[in-house]
Short mmCIF file of all heavy atoms in Angstrom, two decimals:
data_model
loop_
_atom_site.label_atom_id
_atom_site.label_comp_id
_atom_site.label_asym_id
_atom_site.label_seq_id
_atom_site.Cartn_x
_atom_site.Cartn_y
_atom_site.Cartn_z
N PRO A 30 33.28 -123.61 1.29
CA PRO A 30 34.43 -124.09 0.53
C PRO A 30 34.45 -125.61 0.43
O PRO A 30 34.06 -126.30 1.37
CB PRO A 30 35.63 -123.60 1.34
CG PRO A 30 35.12 -122.47 2.14
CD PRO A 30 33.68 -122.74 2.41
N LYS A 31 34.90 -126.10 -0.69
CA LYS A 31 35.10 -127.54 -0.97
C LYS A 31 33.83 -128.34 -1.11
O LYS A 31 33.87 -129.57 -1.12
CB LYS A 31 36.01 -128.17 0.08
CG LYS A 31 37.32 -127.44 0.14
CD LYS A 31 38.35 -128.13 0.97
CE LYS A 31 39.55 -127.22 0.99
NZ LYS A 31 40.72 -127.53 1.42
N GLU A 32 32.70 -127.67 -1.22
CA GLU A 32 31.47 -128.42 -1.43
C GLU A 32 31.37 -128.90 -2.88
O GLU A 32 31.99 -128.33 -3.78
CB GLU A 32 30.25 -127.55 -1.10
CG GLU A 32 30.01 -127.46 0.39
CD GLU A 32 28.64 -126.93 0.76
OE1 GLU A 32 28.31 -125.81 0.33
OE2 GLU A 32 27.92 -127.62 1.48
N TYR A 33 30.62 -129.96 -3.08
CA TYR A 33 30.30 -130.44 -4.43
C TYR A 33 28.79 -130.66 -4.46
O TYR A 33 28.27 -131.62 -3.90
CB TYR A 33 31.07 -131.73 -4.72
CG TYR A 33 30.98 -132.22 -6.15
CD1 TYR A 33 30.42 -131.43 -7.15
CD2 TYR A 33 31.47 -133.47 -6.50
CE1 TYR A 33 30.36 -131.88 -8.46
CE2 TYR A 33 31.40 -133.93 -7.81
CZ TYR A 33 30.85 -133.13 -8.79
OH TYR A 33 30.78 -133.58 -10.09
N ILE A 34 28.11 -129.70 -5.08
CA ILE A 34 26.65 -129.64 -5.00
C ILE A 34 26.04 -129.77 -6.40
O ILE A 34 26.56 -129.19 -7.35
CB ILE A 34 26.19 -128.27 -4.45
CG1 ILE A 34 26.86 -127.98 -3.10
CG2 ILE A 34 24.69 -128.18 -4.32
CD1 ILE A 34 26.56 -126.58 -2.58
N SER A 35 24.94 -130.52 -6.50
CA SER A 35 24.20 -130.47 -7.75
C SER A 35 22.91 -129.69 -7.54
O SER A 35 22.31 -129.74 -6.46
CB SER A 35 23.90 -131.86 -8.29
OG SER A 35 23.41 -132.70 -7.28
N ILE A 36 22.50 -128.98 -8.59
CA ILE A 36 21.19 -128.33 -8.62
C ILE A 36 20.36 -129.14 -9.60
O ILE A 36 20.67 -129.18 -10.79
CB ILE A 36 21.31 -126.87 -9.07
CG1 ILE A 36 22.17 -126.07 -8.08
CG2 ILE A 36 19.93 -126.25 -9.22
CD1 ILE A 36 22.51 -124.65 -8.55
N LEU A 37 19.34 -129.81 -9.08
CA LEU A 37 18.55 -130.73 -9.88
C LEU A 37 17.15 -130.15 -10.10
O LEU A 37 16.54 -129.63 -9.16
CB LEU A 37 18.48 -132.07 -9.12
CG LEU A 37 17.68 -133.22 -9.72
CD1 LEU A 37 18.31 -133.71 -11.02
CD2 LEU A 37 17.60 -134.40 -8.73
N GLY A 38 16.67 -130.25 -11.33
CA GLY A 38 15.32 -129.77 -11.62
C GLY A 38 14.97 -130.02 -13.07
O GLY A 38 15.86 -130.21 -13.90
N THR A 39 13.69 -130.00 -13.39
CA THR A 39 13.25 -130.25 -14.76
C THR A 39 13.52 -129.02 -15.63
O THR A 39 13.87 -127.95 -15.11
CB THR A 39 11.74 -130.56 -14.78
OG1 THR A 39 11.07 -129.48 -14.14
CG2 THR A 39 11.41 -131.85 -14.05
N SER A 40 13.30 -129.15 -16.92
CA SER A 40 13.52 -128.05 -17.85
C SER A 40 12.62 -126.86 -17.49
O SER A 40 11.44 -127.04 -17.25
CB SER A 40 13.24 -128.53 -19.28
OG SER A 40 13.43 -127.47 -20.17
N GLY A 41 13.20 -125.68 -17.45
CA GLY A 41 12.44 -124.48 -17.14
C GLY A 41 12.27 -124.22 -15.65
O GLY A 41 11.62 -123.25 -15.25
N SER A 42 12.88 -125.04 -14.81
CA SER A 42 12.70 -124.88 -13.36
C SER A 42 13.54 -123.74 -12.79
O SER A 42 13.35 -123.35 -11.64
CB SER A 42 13.04 -126.19 -12.64
OG SER A 42 14.36 -126.58 -12.92
N GLY A 43 14.47 -123.21 -13.59
CA GLY A 43 15.26 -122.07 -13.11
C GLY A 43 16.70 -122.40 -12.79
O GLY A 43 17.42 -121.57 -12.22
N LYS A 44 17.17 -123.58 -13.18
CA LYS A 44 18.54 -124.01 -12.85
C LYS A 44 19.61 -123.08 -13.43
O LYS A 44 20.51 -122.66 -12.72
CB LYS A 44 18.81 -125.43 -13.38
CG LYS A 44 17.83 -126.47 -12.93
CD LYS A 44 18.19 -127.84 -13.48
CE LYS A 44 18.11 -127.98 -15.00
NZ LYS A 44 16.76 -127.85 -15.57
N SER A 45 19.48 -122.80 -14.73
CA SER A 45 20.51 -121.96 -15.36
C SER A 45 20.47 -120.55 -14.79
O SER A 45 21.52 -119.95 -14.54
CB SER A 45 20.34 -121.92 -16.88
OG SER A 45 20.55 -123.21 -17.42
N THR A 46 19.27 -120.03 -14.58
CA THR A 46 19.15 -118.70 -13.99
C THR A 46 19.83 -118.65 -12.63
O THR A 46 20.60 -117.73 -12.33
CB THR A 46 17.65 -118.30 -13.85
OG1 THR A 46 17.02 -118.47 -15.12
CG2 THR A 46 17.50 -116.88 -13.38
N LEU A 47 19.60 -119.69 -11.83
CA LEU A 47 20.24 -119.75 -10.50
C LEU A 47 21.76 -119.81 -10.65
O LEU A 47 22.50 -119.13 -9.93
CB LEU A 47 19.72 -120.98 -9.74
CG LEU A 47 20.27 -121.19 -8.33
CD1 LEU A 47 20.01 -119.98 -7.44
CD2 LEU A 47 19.64 -122.44 -7.70
N MET A 48 22.22 -120.58 -11.64
CA MET A 48 23.66 -120.67 -11.86
C MET A 48 24.25 -119.33 -12.29
O MET A 48 25.32 -118.93 -11.84
CB MET A 48 23.96 -121.75 -12.89
CG MET A 48 25.41 -122.12 -12.89
SD MET A 48 25.86 -123.22 -14.24
CE MET A 48 26.54 -122.04 -15.39
N TYR A 49 23.54 -118.60 -13.16
CA TYR A 49 24.04 -117.29 -13.59
C TYR A 49 24.09 -116.31 -12.42
O TYR A 49 24.97 -115.47 -12.35
CB TYR A 49 23.17 -116.71 -14.72
CG TYR A 49 23.22 -117.51 -16.00
CD1 TYR A 49 22.10 -117.65 -16.81
CD2 TYR A 49 24.40 -118.13 -16.42
CE1 TYR A 49 22.14 -118.39 -17.99
CE2 TYR A 49 24.45 -118.87 -17.59
CZ TYR A 49 23.33 -119.00 -18.36
OH TYR A 49 23.36 -119.72 -19.52
N LEU A 50 23.12 -116.43 -11.51
CA LEU A 50 23.13 -115.56 -10.32
C LEU A 50 24.34 -115.89 -9.44
O LEU A 50 25.08 -115.00 -9.02
CB LEU A 50 21.83 -115.74 -9.53
CG LEU A 50 20.57 -115.13 -10.16
CD1 LEU A 50 19.32 -115.76 -9.57
CD2 LEU A 50 20.54 -113.61 -9.97
N ILE A 51 24.55 -117.19 -9.21
CA ILE A 51 25.68 -117.62 -8.38
C ILE A 51 27.01 -117.21 -9.03
O ILE A 51 27.95 -116.83 -8.36
CB ILE A 51 25.64 -119.16 -8.15
CG1 ILE A 51 24.42 -119.53 -7.31
CG2 ILE A 51 26.92 -119.65 -7.48
CD1 ILE A 51 24.17 -121.03 -7.19
N GLY A 52 27.05 -117.27 -10.36
CA GLY A 52 28.27 -116.94 -11.09
C GLY A 52 28.43 -115.45 -11.37
O GLY A 52 29.33 -115.03 -12.08
N LEU A 53 27.55 -114.64 -10.81
CA LEU A 53 27.60 -113.18 -10.91
C LEU A 53 27.46 -112.69 -12.36
O LEU A 53 27.94 -111.63 -12.72
CB LEU A 53 28.88 -112.61 -10.29
CG LEU A 53 29.27 -113.17 -8.90
CD1 LEU A 53 30.59 -112.55 -8.44
CD2 LEU A 53 28.18 -112.89 -7.88
N LEU A 54 26.83 -113.51 -13.19
CA LEU A 54 26.54 -113.08 -14.56
C LEU A 54 25.22 -112.33 -14.61
O LEU A 54 24.93 -111.62 -15.58
CB LEU A 54 26.47 -114.29 -15.49
CG LEU A 54 27.79 -114.98 -15.82
CD1 LEU A 54 27.54 -116.29 -16.55
CD2 LEU A 54 28.68 -114.09 -16.67
N GLU A 55 24.39 -112.55 -13.60
CA GLU A 55 23.11 -111.86 -13.50
C GLU A 55 23.00 -111.26 -12.10
O GLU A 55 23.51 -111.84 -11.15
CB GLU A 55 21.95 -112.87 -13.62
CG GLU A 55 21.84 -113.51 -14.95
CD GLU A 55 20.53 -113.20 -15.64
OE1 GLU A 55 19.89 -112.19 -15.25
OE2 GLU A 55 20.17 -113.95 -16.54
N GLN A 56 22.30 -110.14 -12.01
CA GLN A 56 22.02 -109.55 -10.70
C GLN A 56 20.60 -109.94 -10.29
O GLN A 56 19.72 -110.03 -11.14
CB GLN A 56 22.14 -108.02 -10.76
CG GLN A 56 23.56 -107.51 -10.85
CD GLN A 56 24.29 -107.45 -9.51
OE1 GLN A 56 23.83 -108.00 -8.51
NE2 GLN A 56 25.44 -106.78 -9.49
N PRO A 57 20.39 -110.18 -9.00
CA PRO A 57 19.03 -110.49 -8.55
C PRO A 57 18.08 -109.31 -8.75
O PRO A 57 18.51 -108.17 -8.69
CB PRO A 57 19.19 -110.77 -7.05
CG PRO A 57 20.61 -110.61 -6.71
CD PRO A 57 21.37 -110.15 -7.90
N THR A 58 16.81 -109.62 -8.99
CA THR A 58 15.77 -108.58 -9.03
C THR A 58 15.57 -108.06 -7.61
O THR A 58 15.39 -106.87 -7.39
CB THR A 58 14.45 -109.17 -9.57
OG1 THR A 58 14.73 -109.81 -10.81
CG2 THR A 58 13.40 -108.10 -9.78
N SER A 59 15.58 -108.99 -6.64
CA SER A 59 15.66 -108.57 -5.24
C SER A 59 16.37 -109.64 -4.45
O SER A 59 16.58 -110.76 -4.92
CB SER A 59 14.28 -108.27 -4.67
OG SER A 59 13.55 -109.46 -4.57
N GLY A 60 16.77 -109.29 -3.23
CA GLY A 60 17.57 -110.20 -2.43
C GLY A 60 19.05 -109.88 -2.60
O GLY A 60 19.41 -109.01 -3.37
N LYS A 61 19.86 -110.59 -1.83
CA LYS A 61 21.28 -110.26 -1.78
C LYS A 61 22.17 -111.45 -2.15
O LYS A 61 21.85 -112.58 -1.80
CB LYS A 61 21.65 -109.88 -0.34
CG LYS A 61 21.68 -108.42 -0.09
CD LYS A 61 22.31 -108.17 1.27
CE LYS A 61 21.90 -106.81 1.78
NZ LYS A 61 22.29 -106.63 3.16
N ILE A 62 23.29 -111.15 -2.80
CA ILE A 62 24.33 -112.17 -3.00
C ILE A 62 25.60 -111.66 -2.34
O ILE A 62 26.04 -110.53 -2.60
CB ILE A 62 24.57 -112.43 -4.50
CG1 ILE A 62 23.26 -112.94 -5.14
CG2 ILE A 62 25.69 -113.45 -4.70
CD1 ILE A 62 23.38 -113.26 -6.61
N LEU A 63 26.15 -112.47 -1.45
CA LEU A 63 27.38 -112.10 -0.75
C LEU A 63 28.51 -113.03 -1.17
O LEU A 63 28.37 -114.26 -1.09
CB LEU A 63 27.19 -112.22 0.77
CG LEU A 63 26.01 -111.48 1.39
CD1 LEU A 63 25.84 -111.87 2.85
CD2 LEU A 63 26.22 -109.97 1.28
N VAL A 64 29.60 -112.46 -1.64
CA VAL A 64 30.79 -113.25 -1.96
C VAL A 64 31.83 -112.93 -0.91
O VAL A 64 32.26 -111.79 -0.78
CB VAL A 64 31.34 -112.92 -3.37
CG1 VAL A 64 32.66 -113.63 -3.61
CG2 VAL A 64 30.33 -113.32 -4.43
N GLU A 65 32.20 -113.94 -0.16
CA GLU A 65 33.11 -113.76 0.97
C GLU A 65 32.72 -112.54 1.81
O GLU A 65 33.53 -111.70 2.14
CB GLU A 65 34.56 -113.75 0.48
CG GLU A 65 35.04 -115.19 0.40
CD GLU A 65 36.14 -115.48 -0.60
OE1 GLU A 65 36.62 -114.54 -1.25
OE2 GLU A 65 36.49 -116.66 -0.72
N GLY A 66 31.42 -112.48 2.10
CA GLY A 66 30.90 -111.45 2.98
C GLY A 66 30.56 -110.13 2.30
O GLY A 66 29.93 -109.27 2.89
N LYS A 67 30.98 -109.97 1.03
CA LYS A 67 30.75 -108.71 0.32
C LYS A 67 29.46 -108.76 -0.48
O LYS A 67 29.28 -109.66 -1.30
CB LYS A 67 31.90 -108.46 -0.66
CG LYS A 67 32.88 -107.44 -0.20
CD LYS A 67 33.75 -107.04 -1.40
CE LYS A 67 35.19 -106.84 -0.97
NZ LYS A 67 36.13 -106.85 -2.06
N ASP A 68 28.63 -107.76 -0.31
CA ASP A 68 27.38 -107.65 -1.07
C ASP A 68 27.72 -107.23 -2.50
O ASP A 68 28.17 -106.11 -2.73
CB ASP A 68 26.49 -106.61 -0.38
CG ASP A 68 25.16 -106.43 -1.10
OD1 ASP A 68 24.98 -107.01 -2.18
OD2 ASP A 68 24.31 -105.70 -0.56
N VAL A 69 27.50 -108.12 -3.46
CA VAL A 69 27.95 -107.83 -4.83
C VAL A 69 27.09 -106.78 -5.54
O VAL A 69 27.52 -106.20 -6.53
CB VAL A 69 28.08 -109.10 -5.70
CG1 VAL A 69 29.10 -110.05 -5.13
CG2 VAL A 69 26.74 -109.78 -5.89
N SER A 70 25.87 -106.51 -5.03
CA SER A 70 25.03 -105.51 -5.69
C SER A 70 25.62 -104.11 -5.53
O SER A 70 25.28 -103.19 -6.27
CB SER A 70 23.61 -105.55 -5.12
OG SER A 70 23.63 -105.10 -3.79
N LYS A 71 26.53 -103.97 -4.58
CA LYS A 71 27.13 -102.65 -4.34
C LYS A 71 28.38 -102.41 -5.20
O LYS A 71 28.97 -101.34 -5.16
CB LYS A 71 27.51 -102.52 -2.86
CG LYS A 71 26.32 -102.70 -1.93
CD LYS A 71 26.38 -101.75 -0.75
CE LYS A 71 25.04 -101.57 -0.09
NZ LYS A 71 24.45 -102.81 0.43
N LEU A 72 28.77 -103.43 -5.97
CA LEU A 72 29.99 -103.30 -6.75
C LEU A 72 29.71 -102.76 -8.15
O LEU A 72 28.63 -102.96 -8.70
CB LEU A 72 30.67 -104.67 -6.88
CG LEU A 72 31.06 -105.34 -5.55
CD1 LEU A 72 31.63 -106.72 -5.81
CD2 LEU A 72 32.07 -104.50 -4.78
N SER A 73 30.70 -102.07 -8.71
CA SER A 73 30.57 -101.58 -10.09
C SER A 73 30.76 -102.77 -11.04
O SER A 73 31.24 -103.83 -10.64
CB SER A 73 31.65 -100.54 -10.37
OG SER A 73 32.92 -101.17 -10.37
N ASP A 74 30.40 -102.56 -12.32
CA ASP A 74 30.56 -103.64 -13.31
C ASP A 74 32.02 -104.09 -13.41
O ASP A 74 32.30 -105.28 -13.56
CB ASP A 74 30.08 -103.19 -14.69
CG ASP A 74 28.56 -103.18 -14.76
OD1 ASP A 74 27.92 -103.71 -13.82
OD2 ASP A 74 28.02 -102.65 -15.74
#
Side-chain angles (χ1 to χ4, degrees):
K31 303 190 184 192
E32 281 195 303
Y33 188 10
I34 305 174
S35 46
I36 298 172
L37 179 66
T39 55
S40 179
S42 58
K44 305 181 295 295
S45 295
T46 307
L47 181 57
M48 194 188 99
Y49 295 144
L50 288 161
I51 293 172
L53 314 178
L54 288 170
E55 294 242 20
Q56 286 279 12
T58 308
S59 69
K61 262 191 201 170
I62 300 181
L63 306 172
V64 173
E65 274 153 3
K67 256 194 219 163
D68 180 353
V69 299
S70 68
K71 302 218 160 60
L72 301 176
S73 67
D74 284 350

